[in-house]
Amino acid sequence: MTRLRTLVVAMAATLAGACSLIPAYERPAAPVPAAFPDAPATAASASDAPAWRDYFADARLRELVELALANNRDLRITALNIERARAQYGIQRADLFPSIAANGGQTAQRLPADLSRSGAAGTTRQYSATVGFSAYELDFFGRIRSLNEQALEQYLGTEEARRSAQISLVAEVADAWVRLAADRERQTLANNTLATRQKSYDLTKRSFDVGATSALDLRQAQTLLEGARADAARYTSLVAQDRNALALVVGAEVPAALLPQGFADSITSVAELPAGVPSEVLTRRPDILQSERQLRAANASIGAARAAFFPRITLTAAAGTASSTLDGLFEAGSGTWSFMPQISLPIFEAGRLSANLEATKVQREIAVAQYEKAIQSAFREVADALADRATLTEQLDARRKLVEATEASFKLSEARYKAGVDSYFGLLDAQRSLYAAELDLIAVRQSDASNRIALYKALGGGWQ
């Protein structure tokens, strides 16, 4: 008896410990260099990291982003997914506690004479009213808590998905805004060029009518005129499409006051990246944090799979009143109770439990590989953006000087043509070169702004 009592006490102490079989979590090392390529070596402090409201300095753009955050349907769906995950986590967490319910019922049974103890047929009735819980599992080996932690990590992962979707939305709005600004600048340039070439064509036409110029000069002037007209129509269409795209991503009609008023202002409204941002900031990107949450969830599922090898202890208990008559249900002496503990120990599962544990371990390795791939993809995004960033300043400077040079060349060609030194063909060629150089400058300035927006997105909305 003494040994039996000691064994019972030892078993009770062991079960009361309620151990956890979840493996210790260790974050995998980032499979990327410590610093980004083509990035300055000077260290940047965390205080240099602005929020998106500071990153985009233009007040119109900030107000437009606020409008998108309130109305974009994709972001709304992401928020609803979070609510669903929160509810699912609440369902899983409820398994940690017994479900207590009140029950009332009646049992009626008729027995024939040959089965009745009294030898006469009769009907028996029983009424009961109880409060209790059924099949409540005592989580001594952490199976329920492992599943609860898995559900928690999945819920937190949806929150990171929302942050990632918000960053993507902010970048998409800014990029659409800049694209609209660039196309409006192209439209203005095309319209101005069209007006200039119309005047040039009219002048050439009058000269041709009096025999001062050849038919070749007239047709060349007409060629440039029609080309400018086609460009003006094309950019008008692109501007309308850009406004439609901006309204779609914002999720509402965009007020005219929030549209970009000048391309130069739009470009300078996007902040520059500070020097020396380390690659470690990638581990704080929301999509990478979401991938890590999935890894933690896979790690927790191993604990549940391990706990399946151990006994499962469930309790069913109820207390209340019972009587053979309804009016005697709550009389003195009608109290009743029941207590039914049950233990289930797996003996033979044909390898099911081992296979399930192996599957959870493989799933964790898959999650590790996905986490590492997410970091590598993020590193490449930042590295590509920095590679462009390293040459964009030089490209901008070269394009500005090219516009200045072609503009000076055009003026010289115009003066030489009016003086009768050069042919009209030289003047037309100078016009084409100037127009192309101005379009190229707009394209590079747009690339410069888009590059800084891409860096904002690739760095997870900042570099803190």
Side-chain angles (χ1 to χ4, degrees):
M1 291 297 295
T2 303
R3 292 181 178 180
L4 180 59
R5 188 180 300 108
T6 303
L7 179 60
V8 170
V9 172
M11 289 181 62
T14 302
L15 294 175
C19 61
S20 173
L21 302 178
I22 300 176
Y25 174 76
E26 294 183 5
R27 174 187 287 179
V32 293
F36 294 113
D38 300 312
T42 306
S45 64
S47 60
D48 293 331
W52 67 263
R53 293 178 182 81
D54 299 324
Y55 195 90
F56 302 104
D58 193 289
R60 292 163 300 182
L61 178 55
R62 290 201 302 269
E63 190 172 345
L64 196 62
V65 170
E66 292 280 6
L67 189 63
L69 292 176
N71 293 281
N72 184 267
R73 299 312 188 269
D74 290 335
L75 192 62
R76 187 175 301 176
I77 291 172
T78 304
L80 292 174
N81 285 335
I82 294 175
E83 295 300 321
R84 181 178 62 182
R86 179 182 297 145
Q88 290 172 340
Y89 166 63
I91 293 172
Q92 184 62 56
R93 187 174 183 273
D95 289 341
L96 293 171
F97 307 93
S99 297
I100 300 176
N103 298 283
Q106 173 195 10
T107 302
Q109 184 181 27
R110 181 186 183 281
L111 291 176
D114 58 343
L115 294 180
S116 175
R117 293 182 179 179
S118 63
T123 300
T124 61
R125 298 180 184 274
Q126 179 179 338
Y127 299 88
S128 64
T130 60
V131 176
F133 53 87
S134 174
Y136 169 60
E137 182 176 347
L138 299 178
D139 193 29
F140 290 127
F141 300 101
R143 190 184 74 88
I144 302 299
R145 281 176 294 135
S146 297
L147 294 175
N148 179 67
E149 183 169 341
Q150 179 185 11
L152 175 61
E153 294 297 339
Q154 291 173 341
Y155 158 61
L156 295 176
T158 59
E159 176 63 28
E160 298 299 343
R162 184 201 63 79
R163 289 182 55 220
S164 181
Q166 177 174 312
I167 291 169
S168 296
L169 177 61
V170 171
E172 191 174 357
V173 171
D175 199 55
W177 197 73
V178 168
R179 184 167 57 251
L180 174 59
D183 283 340
R184 292 181 73 171
E185 187 80 1
R186 294 185 180 99
Q187 182 187 26
T188 300
L189 175 61
N191 288 333
N192 293 339
T193 302
L194 175 60
T196 300
R197 291 181 179 178
Q198 183 67 57
K199 292 178 182 178
S200 177
Y201 172 78
D202 293 341
L203 180 61
T204 305
K205 181 69 167 55
R206 288 194 296 268
S207 298
F208 172 76
D209 290 341
V210 299
T213 58
S214 65
L216 178 60
D217 290 343
L218 178 64
R219 296 311 173 194
Q220 288 175 336
Q222 186 180 7
T223 299
L224 288 183
L225 172 64
E226 298 305 331
R229 182 175 315 192
D231 283 352
R234 180 164 61 93
Y235 290 128
T236 299
S237 175
L238 286 176
V239 167
Q241 293 176 17
D242 291 341
R243 290 194 63 170
N244 293 337
L246 188 59
L248 176 62
V249 71
V250 170
E253 185 64 26
V254 179
L258 299 184
L259 296 175
Q261 302 301 319
F263 190 50
D265 293 337
S266 303
I267 294 299
T268 56
S269 68
V270 184
E272 287 283 0
L273 177 72
V277 178
S279 64
E280 183 185 358
V281 301
L282 295 178
T283 59
R284 295 191 290 272
R285 255 178 57 151
D287 58 332
I288 293 178
L289 288 175
Q290 181 187 8
S291 181
E292 186 177 7
R293 292 295 182 187
Q294 296 301 324
L295 174 57
R296 288 178 176 271
N299 193 64
S301 67
I302 295 178
R306 287 176 172 176
F309 286 89
F310 294 88
R312 293 178 61 179
I313 301 174
T314 57
L315 299 178
T316 299
T321 179
S323 175
S324 59
T325 61
L326 183 61
D327 55 359
L329 189 61
F330 297 102
E331 292 182 354
S334 63
T336 181
W337 60 269
S338 65
F339 179 68
M340 292 175 287
Q342 183 177 5
I343 183 169
S344 175
L345 177 65
I347 297 177
F348 177 71
E349 292 283 347
R352 181 183 292 108
L353 298 180
S354 298
N356 183 58
L357 178 58
E358 182 64 23
T360 57
K361 291 181 178 179
V362 172
Q363 182 59 43
R364 180 180 61 179
E365 295 306 313
I366 292 174
V368 170
Q370 291 173 336
Y371 173 73
E372 292 175 343
K373 181 180 178 181
I375 291 181
Q376 290 175 335
S377 298
F379 184 87
R380 180 188 174 183
E381 290 176 10
V382 178
D384 287 348
L386 289 174
D388 286 340
R389 181 88 252 139
T391 61
L392 276 169
T393 301
E394 186 176 353
Q395 291 183 50
L396 277 170
D397 184 62
R399 290 297 177 184
R400 289 193 181 99
K401 290 181 178 179
L402 179 60
V403 169
E404 293 173 0
T406 52
E407 186 176 9
S409 177
F410 169 71
K411 291 179 180 179
L412 289 175
S413 295
E414 186 178 31
R416 289 172 65 85
Y417 170 72
K418 290 179 179 180
V421 177
D422 274 348
S423 66
Y424 190 64
F425 177 78
L427 176 60
L428 296 180
D429 186 62
Q431 286 181 342
R432 281 193 295 265
S433 298
L434 177 58
Y435 181 57
E438 289 174 330
L439 286 177
D440 288 342
L441 177 59
I442 294 174
V444 174
R445 290 163 65 192
Q446 181 184 358
S447 297
D448 177 66
S450 297
N451 174 262
R452 280 179 270 175
I453 295 171
L455 273 175
Y456 165 83
K457 181 180 178 181
L459 291 170
W463 40 89
Q464 61 271 27

